Amino acid sequence: MQERIQSFIEHVTDLSSNPKFFHYKWFVKWHLRVVERLALELADHHPDADRDLIHVMVWLHDYAKILDWHNERSRKLLNAGRDKLIELGFESGFANRAADYVELMDKCAEVDINDAPIEVRILSTADGCSHLTGPFLYIFWHHETDKNFVGKSYEEMMALNLKKANFDWEHKIVLPEARVAFEPRYHHIQEICGQLPNSYFKKS
């Protein structure tokens, strides 16, 4: 199993390094590897979860986006990751489950991820937390300037990123241990997006 997982990681890493992919310069190091670490740490808190499945889902969850940034929700692209897993020797049942769970996570705006299988909750939480971790948001802002932020003011850019952070907090980060650990990071993101606190110093 570990050899197959490593083969899939190498495959996704290679795809992500293609200059045709919008975020090719940084995506593996500052997103996928961070999600991987967060997800596997969360799995340690949930021994009932399928750790191998979670590991594969980490590297599968942005597969369609990496293949085609503009059509990341197409059924053909979603199936491509499933097919690649089978090609690499994963059992079809495992590959189907991984792909179905990733698709379920992608519907977090429509369904309550709290009711999803633990593997989905772990990946969703890890993905949301990764956006509040390290330089992700700063790199993302820089790249998005050339894509979605052209002609927008700083206030408009901050509002868009606040919307992203709020979405992650409200829909993706569902595991209680992660919400406790990452709440200060979330509030920091709110501040750098323009929501300043009423008071900076607590009264003694």
Side-chain angles (χ1 to χ4, degrees):
M1 174 64 82
Q2 295 308 311
E3 290 182 2
R4 291 193 292 272
I5 292 175
Q6 185 57 38
S7 294
F8 186 59
I9 290 173
E10 291 172 1
H11 166 68
V12 175
T13 299
D14 184 58
L15 286 180
S16 301
S17 302
N18 187 336
K20 293 182 179 179
F21 174 48
F22 191 68
H23 293 319
Y24 78 97
K25 291 183 179 180
W26 61 276
F27 201 71
V28 170
K29 182 176 183 180
W30 296 116
H31 181 56
L32 294 178
R33 284 295 182 187
V34 175
V35 176
E36 178 184 58
R37 177 177 172 182
L38 289 165
L40 294 179
E41 283 193 32
L42 285 168
D44 290 338
H45 291 263
H46 300 272
D48 54 323
D50 187 329
R51 191 178 183 87
D52 290 336
L53 180 63
I54 292 167
H55 204 172
V56 168
M57 288 165 61
V58 166
W59 290 88
L60 180 63
H61 83 279
D62 279 324
Y63 193 85
K65 179 185 295 184
I66 294 166
L67 289 180
D68 188 344
W69 177 265
H70 299 290
N71 297 291
E72 60 182 287
R73 294 291 181 261
S74 79
R75 173 58 55 184
K76 180 179 179 181
L77 293 177
L78 290 172
N79 287 335
R82 184 194 320 255
D83 294 342
K84 187 63 183 183
L85 289 173
I86 294 173
E87 179 187 323
L88 291 173
F90 290 90
E91 294 182 357
S92 59
F94 181 95
N96 287 333
R97 189 178 174 204
D100 288 346
Y101 279 11
V102 167
E103 186 175 5
L104 177 58
M105 187 197 79
D106 285 341
K107 295 179 179 178
C108 61
E110 308 163 27
V111 302
D112 186 353
I113 296 298
N114 286 290
D115 298 327
I118 185 58
E119 292 83 5
V120 178
R121 283 180 278 152
I122 287 174
L123 177 61
S124 176
T125 296
D127 189 41
C129 287
S130 75
H131 301 158
L132 308 179
T133 303
F136 176 91
L137 203 54
Y138 303 99
I139 297 173
F140 187 76
W141 287 7
H142 173 72
H143 279 252
E144 288 291 292
T145 300
D146 296 328
K147 180 170 178 279
N148 292 327
F149 292 166
V150 175
K152 289 184 169 59
S153 68
Y154 286 117
E155 287 75 15
E156 289 172 317
M157 291 162 60
M158 289 190 293
L160 287 170
N161 283 289
L162 180 61
K163 181 178 179 181
K164 178 178 178 62
N166 286 341
F167 179 85
D168 287 340
W169 189 252
E170 293 166 7
H171 297 282
K172 300 193 76 170
I173 303 173
V174 296
L175 292 178
E177 62 269 31
R179 291 183 67 84
V180 169
F182 276 77
E183 186 173 11
R185 295 170 183 259
Y186 171 56
H187 290 317
H188 176 66
I189 295 300
Q190 288 179 307
E191 181 171 341
I192 65 175
C193 287
Q195 290 192 349
L196 303 182
N198 294 326
S199 175
Y200 288 101
F201 305 102
K202 293 182 178 179
K203 295 180 179 180
S204 58

